[in-house]
Amino acid sequence: DQQVKQNSPSLSVQEGRISILNCDYTNSMFDYFLWYKKYPAEGPTFLISISSIKDKNEDGRFTVFLNKSAKHLSLHIVPSQPGDSAVYFCAAKLYSGTYKYIFGTGTRLKVLA
Amino acid sequence: KAGVTQTPRYLIKTRGQQVTLSCSPISGHRSVSWYQQTPGQGLQFLFEYFSETQRNKGNFPGRFSGRQFSNSRSEMNVSTLELGDSALYLCASSLAERQGYYGYTFGSGTRLTVV
């Protein structure tokens, strides 16, 4: 049962344009959502997060939007740069006695110069 | 502050063998989690250790086991290796109950190839 889904395995965007990565979830008990970025041969690194009580969080070129009614999360990167080319994972945090993180399958973003 | 250190970086093993992977968390982090990454499957949770006790476990067979030492270092063991165990194994550490905002810090992973 995949509680966190990234339905687009890959995305190509022209440099300077907006990249939009999407994530859907099924469990309404998730209280935090995070995005991680992963380059080949490296571990994922934290990018940005959002609490379930907010609908938007912005950090420089990165903005995460949360639509709780649709159980949908998106990451916007504006403007996209070639260095943004990586695999992006969304993750959701659940507390049920202890904290648990559930990751999506990832979306490979390619920013074309 | 040193990051999360995983050793070895690469490993090639034969079917049926067993393997032990090591993870040293960030100093002060008491929680260590292990994930398996395979193409198309994303990051699959294996288990989490906190203060030498397993707190959470994912849906993996009993061939996958782990432990945590008093200094928070953790090891993961896979016995009777199968070809399907070939994957990147990631270790992540976090500050126990204060995981909330920043989540994990991941190591670079151990790339295991089973032949």
Side-chain angles (χ1 to χ4, degrees), chain B:
Chain B
K1 198 188 239 189
V4 179
T5 304
Q6 289 189 249
T7 56
R9 286 297 307 272
Y10 302 94
L11 207 48
I12 299 176
K13 288 284 188 179
T14 305
R15 266 183 305 175
Q17 284 187 310
Q18 68 95 25
V19 68
T20 300
L21 313 181
S22 179
C23 172
S24 292
I26 288 174
S27 178
H29 284 196
R30 295 193 294 165
S31 170
V32 174
S33 297
W34 289 88
Y35 284 82
Q36 180 196 65
Q37 186 195 358
T38 53
Q41 293 294 315
L43 295 171
Q44 301 286 312
F45 174 72
L46 280 152
F47 26 66
E48 183 213 357
Y49 285 88
F50 173 72
S51 291
E52 302 178 66
T53 301
Q54 188 181 86
R55 284 207 299 196
N56 275 309
K57 191 176 188 311
N59 297 323
F60 277 80
R63 300 185 296 108
F64 291 81
S65 63
R67 59 177 174 166
Q68 187 180 34
F69 301 96
S70 57
N71 61 357
S72 293
R73 191 177 72 84
S74 177
E75 286 182 349
M76 190 192 103
N77 186 277
V78 188
S79 62
T80 321
L81 283 165
E82 300 176 359
L83 294 178
D85 297 332
S86 295
L88 179 68
Y89 289 88
L90 291 159
C91 165
S93 77
S94 64
L95 282 169
E97 275 67 35
R98 297 199 60 198
Q99 294 169 335
Y101 191 73
Y102 292 105
Y104 297 134
T105 301
F106 282 91
S108 297
T110 293
R111 170 73 61 188
L112 172 65
T113 302
V114 182
V115 296

Side-chain angles (χ1 to χ4, degrees), chain A residues 1 3-4 6 14-15 28-29 33 36-37 41 44 50-51 56 61 67 70 74 86-87 92 103 111 113:
Chain A
D1 174 29
Q3 296 186 65
V4 178
Q6 292 177 258
Q14 209 61 39
E15 182 180 6
S28 57
M29 298 301 290
F33 301 89
Y36 282 83
K37 175 177 172 181
I50 187 167
S51 164
K56 178 182 172 182
R61 297 186 297 114
N67 182 332
S74 63
V87 177
F103 284 80
V111 179

